[in-house]
Amino acid sequence: MPSAKGKVRHQVLVIDDQSSVRDSICAVLDAYGIDAIQCASGEEGLEKLKTEAADAIISDFKMPGMDGLQLLKSLRSEGIETPFILVTGYGSLEMTMEALQLGTVEYLTKPVKPKEIVLAVNKALKTDAFRKELHKLQEEVIEKYSVRHMVGQSPVMKNVYHSIHKASKSLANVLITGETGTGKELAARAIHYNGLARKGPFVAVNSSVFPEGTLESELFGHEKGAFTHALKERKGRFELADRGTLFMDEIGEISSHIQVKLLRVIQDKKFERVGGQETIQSNFRLITATNQDLRELVSAGKFREDLFYRLSIINISMPPLRDHPEDIPLLIKHFLKKFTIDSNKDIRTLSIDALKLMQSFPWPGNVRQLENAIESAVAMCDGNMIRIQDLPLELQDLPVEIEPGLPPGSLPQVVESVEKRLILKAMEQCGGIKAQAAKSLGISERMLSYKIEKYAIGKSKPTQ
């Protein structure tokens, strides 16, 4: 709806080499109270942005000179992060993934309906507001543990960044909850390395991997001869974390005996080593994590209520991946880059079918499972594109509807649309080898070459 009187109107830059397309998009925006600036090329758009402010950009992909993706790259290289909407009549998965990585808000295919334009612009405007707020939070977080290792631009991840920001400005105890594989230790490290104790050590211990007696020695340390095999004095994790952070994972697994001793250390920051009498003081910041519901353990009498409240002065909840599936493409891109570098392979992208399958999978093991899946796929992939057969078996067994329904239009239009789609899929599955694709389609290679030229598939310029 048109803007209320006195309300600031948003302004969108529309870039397309066809004036009729620009005029129609601008008319739609104007009807909804949004101002528009028109440009006929990517180069003209860059120049316009030097003098005109834009809250969002709508750009065609195929244009003479600088295309839409090149424009997006140029903007990002210059530090311009205006939300970008890419419009095209044709595009590859690799281009889509690259556009997503560069921060494309929406990817629309021609012919674009007015409702799609409005929805995309509204999404872009909300994204811009979120981006500005997120940048303020990320300024307070060290790059190593926020930008490079914590991947995600969804609203739920924004809440995580906000919580990390708040926790990093305090030395209060933090309890991080979340399912296995959601990144609880990454969050703990981000809090430490951006917090008041960042100049000190980050000491981590998994409470579930040690028996009670061993865990006590790990935490408190021991004196020489304190027990069998205690051949020398050893400092514990409390002592090692002095002036830094102690991260205790799986805190719900500790015994009632350790709970009592931990409560005293939290209150006084003093303790004795196992077998020792000297009181040692350690000024550490405590961060704990669990995949259990500590309140239920308290109710069941398995966890001390007073300890629970001392641990949970600040609470951070790490969301399961199913709550922010929009981050999956960015996570895939991040892990793909990581493991291709590690394995010295030239794997550039995923097939459309493989990407759809990964987006449909429920990921019970969350981000860690997704990371392991990409590592496995990179190891199994022989070419430069990961396909369904390269993915772990649990993903391959998932039934997914790959082909969408028939498009609207006359019979010839429907036939041509389906024919083009089948050719694209066959060429992708056969790695671009025409002879194999033609055989799989049941037509001659000559006929396939004709169809490829007819539908402007590949390097040819598609019909706008």
Side-chain angles (χ1 to χ4, degrees), residues 407-438:
S410 64
L411 180 59
Q413 290 173 329
V414 171
V415 171
E416 288 185 0
S417 177
V418 173
E419 192 174 53
K420 180 179 178 180
R421 186 185 304 160
L422 290 174
I423 292 172
L424 283 167
K425 184 176 179 181
M427 290 292 288
E428 176 190 314
Q429 291 178 336
C430 296
I433 302 175
K434 289 185 181 179
Q436 294 181 11

Side-chain angles (χ1 to χ4, degrees), residues 180 184-185 203-211 214-215 218-219 237 246-254 289-291 368:
T180 299
K184 296 187 289 294
E185 184 169 343
V203 179
V205 58
N206 188 322
S207 308
S208 66
V209 301
F210 297 104
T214 307
L215 178 61
E218 283 292 325
L219 293 174
R237 305 297 176 99
L246 176 64
F247 173 61
M248 294 183 64
D249 200 3
E250 304 298 347
I251 192 65
E253 299 290 337
I254 64 175
T290 181
N291 59 10
R368 184 181 300 160

